[in-house]
Amino acid sequence: MALLTATGVEVSATQYAQDRIADSVRRDIGLDSAPQVQVNGFPVSLQLARRVITEADIDAAQVPAALNGRVLTIQDLSIHLHGIRQERGGRERADEAEVTATITYQDLSAFYGVDINRGIGNDQVVATTQVPLLGRLSASAHIGIAGPRAIAVNGVRLSENVPPAARTLLENSLERQAPLDNLPEGLALRSVAVTDQGIVALMTGHDVGLQPDTA
């Protein structure tokens, strides 16, 4: 009986911790539904008593990453947290966080207004647009880190015989940075990679709040 009671307490504690974190993320980031949360470590009831959850994994989909202007959608967002504690107001904060954000080429194309697909190598994409009188125009470009919380497409390369006006049109379409400003505060970009699934951005941080940093 004691074992059953202890097991029931642990199940309830785990569910409570996961629901608490999921609700905080849903509310602060503005998701339509709560993300999936897995609290790790045992026993969770003791972690709650100590007011620090050792480790948790969060998975969310269709996350809006830019709040101003065009919205850049993150198809898959994976967050790994260490040392999670609840602050006043019910918000969660973690000692350390590692975040992987996958942005599909379709969503990247919608953000920039030109077709973007995988190029050759782990940092190259191909941008294609329709140019009056010339038809479809394609160029290779580099995608990488533009700041602590932004990615950018630059280093556009076209054939030498492309008219300057067409070159400028494509370069102007790609000049805007893609901000990741609706994600937990305290994160900074570490790498951006081109994959078959899309652009994968890795972000890490210390003393990370789950509320978004929109500065």
Side-chain angles (χ1 to χ4, degrees), residues 124-125 139-143 152-158 171 174:
Q124 298 292 315
V125 294
S140 63
H142 169 269
I143 188 163
V153 179
N154 50 43
V156 178
R157 295 191 298 274
L158 299 115
E171 289 177 342
L174 299 171

Side-chain angles (χ1 to χ4, degrees), residues 3 13 21 32-33 53 155 186:
L3 179 60
I21 294 172
D32 292 333
S33 59
I53 296 172

Side-chain angles (χ1 to χ4, degrees), residues 79-96:
I79 305 174
H80 185 68
L81 302 176
H82 288 275
I84 309 113
R85 57 195 181 280
Q86 190 176 48
E87 298 182 316
R88 290 184 179 180
R91 285 180 166 173
E92 307 287 336
R93 182 170 290 275
D95 293 335
E96 296 182 5

Side-chain angles (χ1 to χ4, degrees), residues 25-93:
V25 173
R26 180 197 58 77
R27 181 180 64 250
D28 290 337
I29 296 182
L31 302 177
D32 292 333
S33 59
Q36 293 184 342
V37 177
Q38 177 66 52
V39 170
N40 304 316
F42 182 86
V44 176
S45 55
L46 183 58
Q47 296 177 44
L48 288 173
R50 293 174 175 173
R51 299 182 183 275
V52 178
I53 296 172
T54 304
E55 195 174 297
D57 291 299
I58 303 169
D59 291 297
Q62 295 293 311
V63 179
L67 295 180
N68 300 316
R70 299 178 188 175
V71 174
L72 177 64
T73 301
I74 294 176
Q75 184 66 31
D76 295 298
L77 183 70
S78 177
I79 305 174
H80 185 68
L81 302 176
H82 288 275
I84 309 113
R85 57 195 181 280
Q86 190 176 48
E87 298 182 316
R88 290 184 179 180
R91 285 180 166 173
E92 307 287 336
R93 182 170 290 275

Side-chain angles (χ1 to χ4, degrees), residues 119-131:
I120 299 175
N122 63 358
D123 65 348
Q124 298 292 315
V125 294
V126 175
T128 304
T129 189
Q130 196 75 20
V131 178

